[in-house]
Amino acid sequence: MTHHNPHLLSSSTITGDKVKNMQDEQLGDIKDLMIDLSSGRIAYAVLSFGGFLGLGDKLFAVPWPALTLDADDKMFVLNISKDRLKHAPGFDKNNRPDMASQQWGREIYQYYDIEPYW
């Protein structure tokens, strides 16, 4: 049976999807999507990493273009080592950064080596 990548997915389908890296290591799961209302684009996926049963986990805003869908395994691939992700700019659920700030966004996109879309 041949699988193909879908062209559209609902946000509820993506939320909770696992994320792995190119070494097939589990990096976490997608907790949320941040949509740029002015452009209609997904700016970031909020990735949860570490912790146990949702406690002590760290959240990361990952530029949407940094993620690739693996439709066969129903997960996303992020081309970053586990160690580099551990040191990425992150936050906790009670202390979110100003994700609308273009300065903050440029720093995040630069960390993941992605050219900002704005």
Side-chain angles (χ1 to χ4, degrees):
M1 183 161 109
T2 303
H3 288 85
H4 65 280
N5 286 341
H7 294 284
L8 292 173
L9 288 174
S10 69
S11 61
S12 62
T13 299
I14 295 169
T15 303
D17 277 2
K18 301 292 181 199
V19 178
K20 65 180 180 179
N21 62 17
M22 301 295 277
Q23 293 74 38
D24 210 30
E25 297 173 310
Q26 296 296 321
L27 298 179
D29 60 283
I30 296 174
K31 291 292 183 196
D32 213 344
L33 299 176
M34 302 304 295
I35 299 169
D36 180 337
L37 295 178
S38 64
S39 70
R41 296 177 64 146
I42 299 173
Y44 307 100
V46 177
L47 176 66
S48 173
F49 174 74
F52 180 70
L53 298 176
L55 301 173
D57 56 341
K58 190 173 178 184
L59 301 175
F60 300 91
V62 176
W64 184 248
L67 294 163
T68 305
L69 176 64
D70 178 346
D72 291 336
D73 290 334
K74 297 182 180 163
M75 63 176 46
F76 286 86
V77 177
L78 175 61
N79 189 13
I80 192 170
S81 71
K82 204 176 233 187
D83 190 55
R84 182 146 168 83
L85 180 60
K86 286 180 187 176
H87 294 95
F91 54 95
D92 64 54
K93 64 183 176 185
N94 297 320
N95 190 20
R96 287 184 177 240
D98 178 6
M99 291 186 180
S101 163
Q102 285 194 354
Q103 174 61 34
W104 179 84
R106 275 191 292 280
E107 291 171 12
I108 297 300
Y109 271 67
Q110 182 178 5
Y111 188 86
Y112 292 94
D113 200 26
I114 301 289
E115 187 69 30
Y117 63 88
W118 60 90

